[in-house]
Amino acid sequence: MNAIVGSALTRKLSAFIALSDRELEALERLHQRRRLFPAGQALVHQGQTERAAYFLAEGWVCSYKIQPDGSRQIVDFQIPGDFLGMRSVLLRTSDHSFEPVTEIVAAEVLMRDIHEMFAQTPRLGAAILWAASRDEAMVVEHLVGLGRRDTDVRMAHFLLELGARLVLVGLGTKAEYSCPLTQHHIADALGLSAVHVNRVLRRLREDGLVTLRDGKVTIKDYRGLVELAVFDPGYLDQTGPLLN
Amino acid sequence: MNAIVGSALTRKLSAFIALSDRELEALERLHQRRRLFPAGQALVHQGQTERAAYFLAEGWVCSYKIQPDGSRQIVDFQIPGDFLGMRSVLLRTSDHSFEPVTEIVAAEVLMRDIHEMFAQTPRLGAAILWAASRDEAMVVEHLVGLGRRDTDVRMAHFLLELGARLVLVGLGTKAEYSCPLTQHHIADALGLSAVHVNRVLRRLREDGLVTLRDGKVTIKDYRGLVELAVFDPGYLDQTGPLLN
DNA sequence: CGAAACGTTGAATGGTTTCAACAAGAGTGG
DNA sequence: CCACTCTTGTTGAAACCATTCAACGTTTCG
């Protein structure tokens, strides 16, 4: 059971270093204190001072900021194997909120656990640092998309990146993956209106590139979609120098 | 001379912890190996594998990504006291490029220097971690602006944030600061065309809020601008919990 | 002096939002 | 079980905002 819950993170890190038994054990230890959270109820509220960080074991989460006018900007989605609120451990207050998109299973992580891990299994610590660094690179990529990619390219890039991340943790293939996001979620992530997301998806569908229906993304023409998005997955599967 | 060059970073960190003589010395040591770079010539090229990080001592820099279609998205500006390319030390390749906006003075930082600092002056290491964390929060704020703020608000927010950062290192006041950015730089940062930046600036000027002329930003109505931007500087001057 | 970079303004074009209406499915309570 | 509501997805039309294209003024610099 533990092995199943930890598997997303294990699989992700295994793509970069071969994990020893000792490191696998340490990973499992990180997945103690698991909790179940219902969909839709915010995990950490913007401005909250309590320090909590989690590893996401199952389900999808989005991290977002609410604007004074009520509109929402989703900064990133978290899928199994990802961290939640790493920064709120460092800074006193969390600067954004987390909301489970689906029901989730998350394991609380304390400052102490992190210290322990770095002391006892430094290679594992380095691998996790690498993953955190990759997350930051994704935020930058997202920013670039919002500023300088037109909507079709933006959407194509988004769906491809999500797919690549899911493949990395064994939750999808190049051809399809299940995706619990509503068009409204996607709109809030891509900086569009929900109506326009619908139209963009229709265009991509009519061009035979990709469909999103009934919670499932089906990539009909991978090459074509990559070409449209000018998608370079380099920033997702780079080997970290710390691991040499 | 050393004291002058190091002063921006010193001033920034002093806002959060009282620096001991020993820590001040360590800071100066970090500013050895200073180099002068001319304006306009890229420091680190996208995709470059060489690892180099710098502390910016004088001048302005922008970090950006070039799109395949040639358009540019500026991710952030660096001002004296900021880091350059922290992530390219962690990841093997740099995922974006740096270009000096003005002539700059930057001090090369090696992995070894970082390790030494954490070992010998851990409080200083923590303070620098805090600053890095703040930079990340700014990137997120920037992302939110691109996705969900209309152009006037975006511009107002941008000018206020820049001002607040400059005040922190002693390079400006609430009323004015000098700013070497062209309207083209601002356009590439805010995801707009240079023409539209010009129009937005005209509107803000005509509303008596702020002017940008001859490399100088003059805030005529601070309260009004803050109100328009709904600017909350909280994410800029938070005390880090690591420092207690 | 000519070229190049920066700033400024107008007019036309086009992409996105907003408003509105409707369809389909899930969940709820009478 | 069936209205009822709520969420999600879908489409059309009008309004709006930002871009593009174009032209011109200014300053700087070789």
Side-chain angles (χ1 to χ4, degrees), chain A residues 118 122 125-127 129-130 133 240-244, chain B residues 29-30 33 50-55 83-92 107-120 125 128:
Chain A
F118 272 95
L129 254 191
W130 163 84
S133 186
L242 289 170
L243 311 177
N244 299 335
Chain B
R29 238 175 292 129
L30 276 180
R33 282 192 302 285
E50 187 187 314
R51 289 176 225 167
Y54 300 89
F55 272 116
F83 313 100
L84 298 179
M86 218 47 171
R87 194 181 309 124
S88 61
V89 176
L90 274 181
L91 289 173
R92 193 173 264 151
E108 199 183 349
V109 178
L110 306 177
M111 214 40 165
R112 179 165 51 81
D113 300 325
I114 303 282
H115 284 143
E116 223 167 78
M117 181 184 59
F118 271 95
Q120 292 173 11
I128 283 177

Coordinates of all heavy atoms in Angstrom, one line a residue, chain A residues 118 122 125-127 129-130 133 240-244, chain B residues 29-30 33 50-55 83-92 107-120 125 128:
Chain A
F118 N 18.0 15.4 4.1 CA 19.3 15.9 3.5 C 20.5 15.4 4.3 O 21.5 15.1 3.7 CB 19.3 17.5 3.6 CG 18.7 18.1 2.4 CD1 17.4 18.5 2.4 CD2 19.5 18.3 1.3 CE1 16.8 19.0 1.2 CE2 19.0 18.9 0.1 CZ 17.6 19.3 0.1
P122 N 21.5 12.3 1.2 CA 21.7 13.5 0.5 C 21.4 13.5 -1.0 O 21.0 14.4 -1.6 CB 23.2 13.8 0.8 CG 23.8 12.5 1.2 CD 22.7 11.8 1.9
G125 N 17.9 14.2 -1.3 CA 17.7 15.6 -1.1 C 18.0 16.4 -2.4 O 17.3 17.2 -2.8
A126 N 19.1 16.0 -3.0 CA 19.5 16.7 -4.3 C 18.5 16.4 -5.4 O 18.1 17.3 -6.1 CB 20.9 16.2 -4.7
A127 N 18.0 15.2 -5.4 CA 17.0 14.9 -6.4 C 15.7 15.7 -6.2 O 15.1 16.2 -7.2 CB 16.6 13.4 -6.4
L129 N 15.6 18.6 -4.7 CA 15.9 20.0 -5.1 C 15.8 20.2 -6.6 O 15.3 21.2 -7.1 CB 17.4 20.3 -4.6 CG 17.5 21.2 -3.4 CD1 19.0 21.6 -3.3 CD2 16.7 22.4 -3.5
W130 N 16.3 19.2 -7.3 CA 16.2 19.2 -8.7 C 14.7 19.4 -9.2 O 14.4 20.2 -10.0 CB 16.8 18.0 -9.4 CG 16.3 17.9 -10.8 CD1 16.9 18.5 -11.9 CD2 15.2 17.2 -11.3 NE1 16.1 18.3 -13.0 CE2 15.1 17.5 -12.7 CE3 14.2 16.4 -10.7 CZ2 14.1 16.9 -13.5 CZ3 13.2 15.8 -11.5 CH2 13.2 16.1 -12.8
S133 N 13.4 22.7 -8.6 CA 14.0 23.6 -9.6 C 13.2 23.5 -10.9 O 13.0 24.5 -11.6 CB 15.4 23.3 -9.7 OG 16.1 24.2 -10.6
G240 N 19.9 16.6 -13.5 CA 20.5 17.7 -12.6 C 22.0 17.4 -12.4 O 22.4 16.3 -12.2
P241 N 22.8 18.5 -12.4 CA 24.2 18.4 -12.2 C 24.6 18.0 -10.8 O 25.7 17.4 -10.6 CB 24.7 19.8 -12.5 CG 23.5 20.7 -12.2 CD 22.3 19.9 -12.5
L242 N 23.7 18.2 -9.9 CA 24.0 17.9 -8.5 C 24.1 16.4 -8.3 O 24.5 15.9 -7.3 CB 22.8 18.4 -7.6 CG 22.8 19.9 -7.4 CD1 21.5 20.3 -6.7 CD2 24.0 20.4 -6.6
L243 N 23.6 15.6 -9.3 CA 23.5 14.2 -9.1 C 24.7 13.4 -9.6 O 24.7 12.2 -9.5 CB 22.2 13.7 -9.8 CG 20.9 14.5 -9.4 CD1 19.8 14.0 -10.2 CD2 20.7 14.5 -7.9
N244 N 25.6 14.1 -10.1 CA 26.8 13.5 -10.7 C 27.8 13.0 -9.6 O 27.9 13.7 -8.6 CB 27.5 14.4 -11.6 CG 26.6 14.8 -12.8 OD1 25.7 14.0 -13.1 ND2 26.9 15.9 -13.4
Chain B
R29 N 33.5 39.4 0.7 CA 34.3 38.3 0.1 C 33.5 37.8 -1.1 O 34.1 37.4 -2.1 CB 34.5 37.2 1.1 CG 36.0 36.9 1.3 CD 36.2 35.8 2.3 NE 35.9 36.3 3.7 CZ 35.0 35.7 4.5 NH1 34.5 34.6 4.2 NH2 34.8 36.2 5.7
L30 N 32.2 37.8 -1.0 CA 31.4 37.4 -2.2 C 31.5 38.3 -3.3 O 31.2 38.0 -4.5 CB 29.9 37.3 -1.8 CG 29.4 36.0 -1.1 CD1 28.0 36.1 -0.8 CD2 29.7 34.8 -2.0
R33 N 36.2 39.0 -7.4 CA 36.1 38.6 -8.8 C 35.0 39.4 -9.5 O 34.1 38.9 -10.2 CB 35.7 37.1 -8.9 CG 36.9 36.2 -8.7 CD 36.5 34.8 -9.1 NE 35.4 34.3 -8.4 CZ 35.4 33.9 -7.1 NH1 36.6 33.9 -6.5 NH2 34.4 33.4 -6.5
E50 N 27.4 26.1 -19.6 CA 28.3 26.6 -18.7 C 27.6 27.1 -17.4 O 26.6 27.7 -17.5 CB 29.1 27.8 -19.3 CG 30.2 28.3 -18.5 CD 30.7 29.6 -19.3 OE1 30.9 29.5 -20.5 OE2 30.9 30.6 -18.6
R51 N 28.2 26.8 -16.3 CA 27.6 27.2 -15.0 C 28.2 28.5 -14.5 O 29.4 28.5 -14.2 CB 27.7 26.2 -13.9 CG 26.9 24.9 -14.2 CD 27.2 23.9 -13.1 NE 27.4 22.6 -13.7 CZ 27.9 21.6 -13.0 NH1 28.3 21.7 -11.8 NH2 28.0 20.4 -13.6
A52 N 27.4 29.5 -14.4 CA 27.9 30.8 -13.9 C 26.8 31.5 -13.2 O 25.7 31.6 -13.7 CB 28.5 31.7 -15.0
A53 N 27.1 32.0 -12.0 CA 26.1 32.8 -11.3 C 26.8 34.1 -10.8 O 28.1 34.1 -10.7 CB 25.6 32.1 -10.1
Y54 N 26.1 35.2 -10.7 CA 26.7 36.4 -10.3 C 25.8 37.2 -9.3 O 24.6 36.9 -9.2 CB 26.8 37.4 -11.6 CG 27.6 36.8 -12.7 CD1 27.1 36.0 -13.7 CD2 29.0 37.1 -12.7 CE1 27.9 35.5 -14.7 CE2 29.8 36.6 -13.8 CZ 29.2 35.8 -14.7 OH 30.0 35.3 -15.8
F55 N 26.4 38.0 -8.6 CA 25.7 39.1 -7.8 C 25.9 40.3 -8.6 O 27.0 40.7 -9.0 CB 26.4 39.3 -6.4 CG 25.8 38.4 -5.4 CD1 26.7 37.4 -4.8 CD2 24.5 38.5 -5.0 CE1 26.2 36.6 -3.8 CE2 24.0 37.6 -4.0 CZ 24.8 36.7 -3.5
F83 N 20.6 38.6 -7.6 CA 21.3 37.5 -8.1 C 21.1 37.4 -9.6 O 20.1 37.8 -10.2 CB 20.9 36.1 -7.6 CG 20.7 36.1 -6.2 CD1 19.5 36.1 -5.6 CD2 21.8 35.9 -5.4 CE1 19.3 36.1 -4.2 CE2 21.7 35.8 -4.0 CZ 20.4 35.9 -3.4
L84 N 22.1 36.8 -10.3 CA 21.9 36.5 -11.7 C 22.2 35.0 -11.9 O 23.3 34.6 -11.6 CB 22.9 37.3 -12.6 CG 22.8 38.8 -12.6 CD1 23.9 39.4 -13.4 CD2 21.4 39.2 -13.1
G85 N 21.2 34.3 -12.4 CA 21.4 32.9 -12.8 C 21.6 32.0 -11.7 O 22.4 31.0 -11.9
M86 N 21.0 32.2 -10.6 CA 21.0 31.2 -9.5 C 20.6 29.8 -10.0 O 21.2 28.8 -9.6 CB 20.1 31.6 -8.4 CG 20.6 31.4 -7.0 SD 22.3 32.0 -6.8 CE 22.5 31.8 -5.0
R87 N 19.6 29.8 -10.9 CA 19.1 28.5 -11.3 C 20.1 27.7 -12.2 O 20.1 26.5 -12.2 CB 17.7 28.6 -11.9 CG 17.1 27.2 -12.0 CD 15.7 27.3 -12.7 NE 14.9 28.3 -12.1 CZ 14.4 29.3 -12.7 NH1 14.5 29.4 -14.0 NH2 13.6 30.2 -12.1
S88 N 20.8 28.5 -13.0 CA 21.7 27.8 -13.9 C 22.9 27.1 -13.2 O 23.6 26.4 -13.8 CB 22.3 28.8 -14.9 OG 23.0 29.8 -14.3
V89 N 23.0 27.4 -11.9 CA 24.0 26.7 -11.1 C 23.4 25.3 -10.7 O 24.1 24.3 -10.7 CB 24.4 27.5 -9.8 CG1 25.3 26.7 -9.0 CG2 25.0 28.8 -10.2
L90 N 22.1 25.3 -10.5 CA 21.5 24.1 -10.1 C 21.2 23.2 -11.3 O 21.6 22.0 -11.3 CB 20.1 24.4 -9.4 CG 20.1 24.7 -7.9 CD1 18.7 25.0 -7.4 CD2 20.8 23.5 -7.1
L91 N 20.6 23.7 -12.3 CA 20.3 22.9 -13.5 C 21.5 23.0 -14.4 O 22.3 24.0 -14.3 CB 19.1 23.5 -14.2 CG 17.7 23.3 -13.5 CD1 16.6 24.0 -14.2 CD2 17.4 21.8 -13.5
R92 N 21.7 22.0 -15.2 CA 22.9 22.0 -16.0 C 22.9 23.1 -17.1 O 23.9 23.7 -17.3 CB 23.0 20.6 -16.7 CG 24.3 20.4 -17.3 CD 24.5 19.0 -17.8 NE 25.2 18.1 -16.9 CZ 25.0 16.8 -16.8 NH1 24.1 16.3 -17.6 NH2 25.6 16.1 -15.9
A107 N 29.7 40.4 -9.8 CA 30.7 39.5 -9.1 C 30.3 38.1 -9.3 O 29.2 37.6 -9.0 CB 30.7 39.9 -7.7
E108 N 31.3 37.3 -9.9 CA 31.0 35.9 -10.2 C 31.0 35.2 -8.8 O 31.8 35.4 -7.9 CB 32.2 35.4 -11.0 CG 31.8 34.1 -11.7 CD 33.0 33.5 -12.5 OE1 34.0 34.3 -12.7 OE2 32.9 32.4 -13.0
V109 N 30.1 34.3 -8.8 CA 29.9 33.5 -7.5 C 30.1 32.0 -7.9 O 29.4 31.5 -8.8 CB 28.5 33.7 -6.9 CG1 28.4 32.8 -5.7 CG2 28.4 35.1 -6.5
L110 N 30.9 31.3 -7.2 CA 31.1 29.9 -7.4 C 30.3 29.0 -6.4 O 29.9 29.5 -5.3 CB 32.6 29.5 -7.3 CG 33.5 30.3 -8.2 CD1 35.0 29.9 -7.9 CD2 33.2 30.2 -9.6
M111 N 30.0 27.8 -6.8 CA 29.3 26.9 -5.9 C 30.0 26.9 -4.6 O 29.4 26.8 -3.5 CB 29.5 25.5 -6.6 CG 28.4 24.5 -6.4 SD 26.7 25.2 -6.5 CE 25.9 23.6 -6.7
R112 N 31.4 26.8 -4.6 CA 32.2 26.8 -3.4 C 31.9 27.9 -2.5 O 31.8 27.8 -1.2 CB 33.7 26.8 -3.8 CG 34.7 26.8 -2.7 CD 36.1 26.4 -3.2 NE 36.5 27.2 -4.4 CZ 37.0 28.5 -4.3 NH1 37.1 29.0 -3.1 NH2 37.3 29.2 -5.3
D113 N 31.7 29.1 -3.0 CA 31.5 30.3 -2.2 C 30.1 30.1 -1.4 O 30.0 30.5 -0.3 CB 31.3 31.6 -3.1 CG 32.6 31.8 -3.9 OD1 33.7 31.5 -3.3 OD2 32.5 32.3 -5.0
I114 N 29.2 29.6 -2.1 CA 27.9 29.4 -1.5 C 28.0 28.4 -0.3 O 27.5 28.7 0.8 CB 26.9 28.8 -2.5 CG1 26.8 29.7 -3.8 CG2 25.5 28.6 -1.9 CD1 25.9 30.9 -3.5
H115 N 28.7 27.3 -0.6 CA 28.9 26.3 0.5 C 29.6 26.9 1.7 O 29.2 26.7 2.8 CB 29.7 25.1 -0.1 CG 28.9 24.2 -1.0 ND1 29.4 23.6 -2.1 CD2 27.6 23.8 -0.9 CE1 28.5 22.9 -2.7 NE2 27.4 23.0 -2.0
E116 N 30.6 27.6 1.4 CA 31.4 28.3 2.4 C 30.5 29.2 3.3 O 30.6 29.2 4.5 CB 32.5 29.1 1.8 CG 33.9 29.0 2.4 CD 34.9 29.6 1.5 OE1 35.0 30.8 1.5 OE2 35.6 28.8 0.8
M117 N 29.7 30.0 2.6 CA 28.9 30.9 3.3 C 27.9 30.2 4.2 O 27.7 30.6 5.4 CB 28.1 31.8 2.3 CG 27.2 32.8 2.9 SD 26.3 33.7 1.7 CE 25.4 32.4 0.9
F118 N 27.3 29.1 3.7 CA 26.3 28.4 4.5 C 27.0 27.8 5.7 O 26.4 27.7 6.8 CB 25.6 27.4 3.7 CG 24.4 27.9 3.0 CD1 24.4 28.3 1.7 CD2 23.2 28.0 3.7 CE1 23.3 28.8 1.1 CE2 22.0 28.5 3.1 CZ 22.1 28.9 1.8
A119 N 28.2 27.4 5.5 CA 28.9 26.7 6.6 C 29.4 27.7 7.7 O 29.3 27.5 8.9 CB 30.2 25.9 6.1
Q120 N 29.9 28.9 7.2 CA 30.5 29.8 8.2 C 29.6 30.9 8.7 O 29.8 31.4 9.8 CB 31.8 30.4 7.5 CG 32.9 29.3 7.3 CD 34.0 29.9 6.5 OE1 34.1 31.1 6.3 NE2 34.9 29.0 6.1
G125 N 23.4 32.9 5.0 CA 22.9 32.0 4.0 C 21.4 32.0 4.0 O 20.7 32.0 3.0
I128 N 20.0 35.1 2.4 CA 20.1 35.0 0.9 C 19.0 34.0 0.3 O 18.4 34.3 -0.7 CB 21.5 34.6 0.5 CG1 22.4 35.9 0.7 CG2 21.6 34.1 -0.9 CD1 23.8 35.7 0.4

